[in-house]
């Protein structure tokens, strides 16, 4: 019975992230519209768009290979697995041993690699531009993310998210400058990885500024629906990581009763709502930067993460 209970909770987490990801995207769009004094689309509009796209026929280019057809499902699967591994309303679940930050980065890197290949596969100029820009962003975002992971590993003694979350919820942490720098670096990486303003604008189709949209410009129908769902999952994943590591309060522990899980669910939803609201406010307040300024933005994130790790080394006398 205990194994069945653990499997049910793990499956509930997997389905929860899949169900909440489009809602989070709709919430960010709604808040941005309200801040601009517009009515904006309803919260469930992303669900409508996914259903509409799933019902349409996928139009493929004549020179599209099998890779172009398979990439949407590969990207969705790897992103969903990575998002499902992050502790949301509970930590220490059945598959928590695999919820390693380095493994999650590897899964996201694999999804990015295949998506860049798909952008190059058809041979269009937009796809090539988007893939090259995506690789340029990844070359700086991934080292910054790894430095954040090393900072947390130095502090908690592990890269497993459940262990890190348990340590961050304890009284041993306190206020640390290194954690503040790591949080800033993680937020900057999350903005770049999710193609948000000021790095990219997910609502534009202007060829001079497109990054993510340029790679998926040739997709349509069910293929586009799967890619859009993966993009929503990726945004939820980063907000979940930030909430799990830096605001680990209200997270249940595996093996507790259903009442505890029921209390932790709205707390997790509140964390996502606060993160989505702050993202919408930030995107409304800043402007899109030039593509060639993105390296400065991510370089600053890398320096913040490196400084956080160095401060920990110095404070521990290593």
């Amino acid at each position: 019975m205990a194994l069945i209970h653990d499997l049910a909770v793990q499956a509930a987490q997997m389905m929860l992230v899949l169900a909440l990801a489009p809602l989070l995207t709709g919430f960010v769009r709604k808040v941005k519209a309200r801040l601009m004094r517009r009515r904006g689309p309803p919260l469930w509009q992303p669900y409508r768009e996914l259903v509409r796209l799933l019902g349409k026929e996928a139009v493929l280019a004549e020179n599209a290979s099998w890779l172009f057809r398979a990439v949407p499902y590969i990207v969705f699967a790897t992103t969903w697995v990575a998002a499902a591994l992050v502790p949301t309303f509970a930590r220490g679940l059945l598959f928590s041993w695999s919820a390693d930050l380095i493994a999650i980065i590897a899964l996201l890197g694999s999804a990015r690699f295949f998506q860049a290949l798909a952008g190059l596969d058809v041979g269009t100029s937009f796809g090539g531009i988007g893939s090259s820009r995506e690789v340029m962003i990844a070359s700086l975002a991934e080292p910054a993310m790894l430095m954040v992971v090393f900072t947390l590993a130095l502090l908690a003694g592990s890269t497993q998210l459940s262990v890190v979350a348990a340590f961050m919820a304890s009284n041993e942490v306190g206020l640390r400058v290194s954690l503040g720098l790591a949080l800033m670096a993680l937020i900057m990486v999350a903005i770049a990885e999710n193609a948000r303003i000021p790095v990219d604008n997910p609502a534009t189709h202007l060829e001079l500024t497109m990054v993510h949209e340029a790679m998926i410009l040739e997709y349509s129908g069910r293929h586009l629906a799967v890619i859009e769902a993966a993009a929503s999952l990726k945004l939820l994943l980063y907000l979940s990581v930030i909430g799990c590591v830096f605001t680990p309060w209200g997270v249940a522990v595996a093996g507790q009763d259903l009442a505890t899980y029921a209390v932790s669910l709205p707390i997790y939803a509140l964390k996502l709502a606060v993160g989505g609201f702050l993202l919408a406010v930030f995107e409304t307040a800043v402007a899109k930067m030039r593509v060639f300024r993105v390296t400065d933005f991510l370089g600053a994130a890398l320096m913040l993460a490196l400084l956080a790790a160095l401060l920990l080394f110095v404070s521990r006398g290593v």
Side-chain angles (χ1 to χ4, degrees), residues 151-298:
T151 302
L152 297 175
L154 283 172
L155 196 60
S158 175
T159 56
Q160 289 189 3
L161 273 172
S162 293
V163 177
V164 174
F167 179 82
M168 296 293 287
S170 65
N171 297 325
E172 303 178 18
V173 182
L175 294 176
R176 295 175 181 264
V177 177
S178 57
L179 286 179
L181 296 175
L183 175 60
M184 293 175 60
L186 180 57
I187 292 174
M188 296 172 74
V189 170
I191 290 173
E193 290 279 0
N194 287 279
R196 311 296 303 195
I197 296 175
V199 175
D200 191 14
N201 187 356
T204 185
H205 283 83
L206 181 62
E207 61 271 14
L208 295 178
T209 61
M210 286 191 301
V211 180
H212 177 264
E213 293 295 323
M215 291 188 296
I216 65 174
L217 202 60
E218 296 296 322
Y219 281 109
S220 61
R222 62 182 182 276
H223 294 156
L224 183 58
V226 172
I227 290 179
E228 293 294 344
S232 298
L233 279 169
K234 193 174 183 180
L235 177 61
L236 182 137
L237 183 152
Y238 274 95
L239 290 182
S240 298
V241 169
I242 294 173
C244 167
V245 174
F246 294 98
T247 57
W249 310 289
V251 180
V253 181
Q256 294 181 324
D257 54 4
L258 294 179
T260 307
Y261 290 145
V263 173
S264 61
L265 275 173
I267 296 178
Y268 171 64
L270 179 61
K271 292 178 183 178
L272 291 181
V274 172
F277 178 80
L278 294 177
L279 176 62
V281 172
F282 177 77
E283 288 191 328
T284 307
V286 301
K288 168 76 172 63
M289 66 174 61
R290 296 177 59 192
V291 175
F292 297 106
R293 296 293 301 276
V294 174
T295 54
D296 298 335
F297 181 81
L298 290 175

Side-chain angles (χ1 to χ4, degrees), residues 10-97:
Q10 185 70 67
Q13 177 172 277
M14 293 185 67
M15 299 308 298
L16 178 68
V17 296
L18 185 61
L20 288 182
L23 182 62
L24 175 62
T25 302
F27 177 74
V28 174
R29 293 176 183 174
K30 188 71 172 181
V31 174
K32 288 179 66 176
R34 288 297 187 181
L35 291 174
M36 297 176 185
R37 296 187 178 183
R38 296 187 288 107
R39 183 177 180 181
L43 292 176
W44 52 87
Q45 184 62 32
Y47 297 100
R48 290 179 175 177
E49 294 175 356
L50 292 177
V51 172
R52 176 177 57 85
L53 289 173
L54 287 173
K56 287 189 174 183
E57 180 184 0
V59 180
L60 298 173
E62 293 181 357
N63 57 338
S65 67
W66 63 270
L67 181 66
F68 188 82
R69 299 177 177 88
V71 161
Y73 305 104
I74 296 174
V75 171
F76 176 78
T78 53
T79 308
W80 188 17
V81 170
L85 291 178
V86 178
T88 55
F89 63 91
R91 66 174 186 264
L93 297 180
L94 186 61
F95 296 143
S96 63
W97 57 270

Side-chain angles (χ1 to χ4, degrees), residues 72-142:
Y73 305 104
I74 296 174
V75 171
F76 176 78
T78 53
T79 308
W80 188 17
V81 170
L85 291 178
V86 178
T88 55
F89 63 91
R91 66 174 186 264
L93 297 180
L94 186 61
F95 296 143
S96 63
W97 57 270
S98 60
D100 190 277
L101 279 168
I102 297 179
I104 291 174
I105 294 174
L107 287 171
L108 294 178
S110 300
R112 183 189 302 109
F113 170 74
F114 282 106
Q115 194 162 347
L117 283 182
L120 296 170
D121 184 74
V122 181
T124 60
S125 57
F126 286 164
I129 291 174
S131 296
S132 62
R133 290 175 177 175
E134 181 72 10
V135 173
M136 177 195 69
I137 292 173
S139 64
L140 290 174
E142 287 186 0

